């Protein structure tokens, strides 16, 4: 049995290159929202960033980055939000 009380909740800001329009933000939001463990995602075309809140381990962050990369974008930086 896995309890969520022991899971760390993390919010990361990801800087993303390659977004050309607002449809790019929707593609990223839809794909990342479908990852198990992701609680919320908000992508800003203007700021070229995504704020992602997720529970669990750092492996989820790697899955998020891999998913964004597979869509044709480049994650150039990640920053943990306290």
């Amino acid at each position: 049995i896995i309890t969520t009380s022991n899971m760390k909740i993390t919010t990361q800001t990801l800087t993303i290159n390659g977004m050309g329009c607002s449809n790019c933000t929707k593609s990223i939001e839809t794909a990342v929202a479908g990852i198990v463990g992701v609680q919320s995602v908000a992508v800003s075309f203007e700021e070229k960033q995504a704020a992602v809140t997720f529970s669990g381990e750092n492996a989820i962050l790697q899955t998020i980055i891999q998913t964004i990369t597979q869509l044709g974008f480049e994650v150039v930086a990640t920053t943990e939000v306290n």
Side-chain angles (χ1 to χ4, degrees), residues 6-14 37-41 50-61 64 78-82:
N6 293 335
M7 294 241 182
K8 179 182 176 189
I9 305 297
T10 303
T11 300
Q12 290 272 346
T13 300
L14 290 73
V38 170
Q39 295 185 344
S40 68
V41 56
V52 184
T53 302
F54 57 93
S55 60
E57 301 176 12
N58 200 36
I60 294 175
L61 178 59
I64 293 166
T78 61
T79 307
E80 186 168 349
V81 179
N82 294 328

Side-chain angles (χ1 to χ4, degrees), residues 43 59 62-64 67 74 76 78 81:
V43 181
Q62 296 308 313
T63 301
I64 293 166
T67 299
E74 179 185 15
V76 294
T78 61
V81 179

Side-chain angles (χ1 to χ4, degrees), residues 21-71:
C21 63
S22 60
N23 284 334
C24 296
T25 63
K26 292 175 188 168
S27 296
I28 293 170
E29 286 178 346
T30 300
V32 172
I35 298 170
V36 173
V38 170
Q39 295 185 344
S40 68
V41 56
V43 181
S44 170
F45 172 68
E46 294 80 16
E47 295 179 17
K48 309 292 189 212
Q49 292 185 333
V52 184
T53 302
F54 57 93
S55 60
E57 301 176 12
N58 200 36
I60 294 175
L61 178 59
Q62 296 308 313
T63 301
I64 293 166
I65 293 170
Q66 182 180 14
T67 299
I68 293 170
T69 302
Q70 288 173 342
L71 291 171

